[in-house]
Amino acid sequence: MSGRKTVLNAVRGALADVPGYESPDDGPLPHGRRADHAGPDIVGLFTERAAEYRATVVRATAADAAAAVGRALVRTGARSVVVPPGLPEDLVPEGPWSRLEDVPRLKVGQLDAADAVVTTAATAIAVTGTVTLDHGPGQGRRALTLLPDQHICVVRADQIVPDVPEALSRLDPYRPLTLISGPSATSDIELDRVEGVHGPRILDIVVIVDE
C-alpha cells in the first residue's frame, strides 16, 4: 500500500463515526491549547532552542546591544553590512566595515556581495527557537535577509512568546512573513548537511534583556 493510501485510510477511519452533515465549526474543540508548556523562562528556552539550530545567541542590555552586534561582525570578519530602512542607527557600531543603506534599493549583485545584514524582528518563538520577520521597519525586504552570508537579528526579550499560536496571534496574516530557525541548511539523500544554500550561512541573534 502506498503512503498516500495509508494516510487517506487513516483519515477515513478517524471520520468513520462523524455524521455527514456535521462540519468542523459545529462544536467546540475537544481540548484547549496549553499555554504554559514553554515553562516560566521563555527567554532561556528560546536561547537554548535557537542554539540547537546552530544559531549563535547572546544576551545583551540595550546599552550593550550595538557592541554585541559589533562583536558578531568582527567574529566573521565582515567588511560590509546591509542596513535596512528603520533600523535604529545606534545598533550598528563603527568598525572596519562599510554600511550599505537600502535606500534606494540595492541591486541583487550588491546584496550577494555583502557580508552581513543587521535587522530587528517582529517576534520570536521559544519552543522552536524561531525568529519571525514581517519585514516592517528595521527588518527590510525579504531579499536583504536571504543574500548576505551573515544575518544578525536583534530581538527584544518582550518579543519572545512561548509557542507558534501565540506568535501568530501577534502577526498580521496579510503581511509577508519569514520564519527563521537557524542558518539556512539542507541535506542530500546521504544526509550530508550543507549550509547557506537558501539563505544566510551564519545566524547571530542578540536578545536585548533588561538591565
Side-chain angles (χ1 to χ4, degrees):
M1 181 180 296
S2 69
R4 180 175 181 273
K5 287 184 177 180
T6 299
V7 172
L8 291 176
N9 286 342
V11 172
R12 292 189 188 101
L15 298 176
D17 59 348
V18 178
Y21 57 81
E22 187 174 297
S23 73
D25 296 328
D26 289 340
L29 292 175
H31 54 78
R33 177 175 65 87
R34 291 181 59 193
D36 61 348
H37 64 288
D41 183 11
I42 61 173
V43 174
L45 180 61
F46 170 76
T47 300
E48 176 186 331
R49 294 291 167 81
E52 289 175 358
Y53 278 112
R54 303 191 184 184
T56 299
V57 188
V58 298
R59 301 192 194 194
T61 63
D64 192 45
V69 170
R71 287 191 290 270
L73 293 170
V74 168
R75 191 188 77 247
T76 59
R79 305 298 297 179
S80 58
V81 54
V82 177
V83 179
L87 185 78
E89 285 293 323
D90 58 357
L91 272 184
V92 181
E94 296 295 327
W97 43 76
S98 59
R99 292 170 58 105
L100 302 177
E101 307 282 348
D102 195 40
V103 180
R105 288 191 170 192
L106 297 167
K107 297 180 179 180
V108 171
Q110 292 174 295
L111 290 175
D112 191 43
D115 293 318
V117 60
V118 179
T119 75
T120 54
T123 187
I125 306 169
V127 295
T128 60
T130 301
V131 171
T132 303
L133 310 182
D134 64 7
H135 301 283
Q139 300 170 52
R141 53 196 172 100
R142 185 166 286 163
L144 268 61
T145 56
L146 292 178
L147 294 178
D149 196 46
Q150 179 184 18
H151 179 191
I152 303 173
C153 188
V154 181
V155 181
R156 299 191 318 272
D158 61 7
Q159 291 180 300
I160 301 174
V161 298
D163 51 29
V164 174
E166 178 67 21
L168 294 179
S169 71
R170 295 193 180 194
L171 297 169
D172 182 350
Y174 295 99
R175 292 192 61 82
L177 302 177
T178 302
L179 278 68
I180 303 169
S181 298
S184 170
T186 189
S187 298
D188 61 17
I189 195 170
E190 295 180 353
L191 300 181
D192 291 327
R193 180 184 174 98
V194 178
E195 296 181 345
V197 176
H198 311 295
R201 184 173 54 89
I202 302 166
L203 175 63
D204 286 89
I205 303 174
V206 177
V207 179
I208 298 180
V209 296
D210 294 334
E211 297 287 351

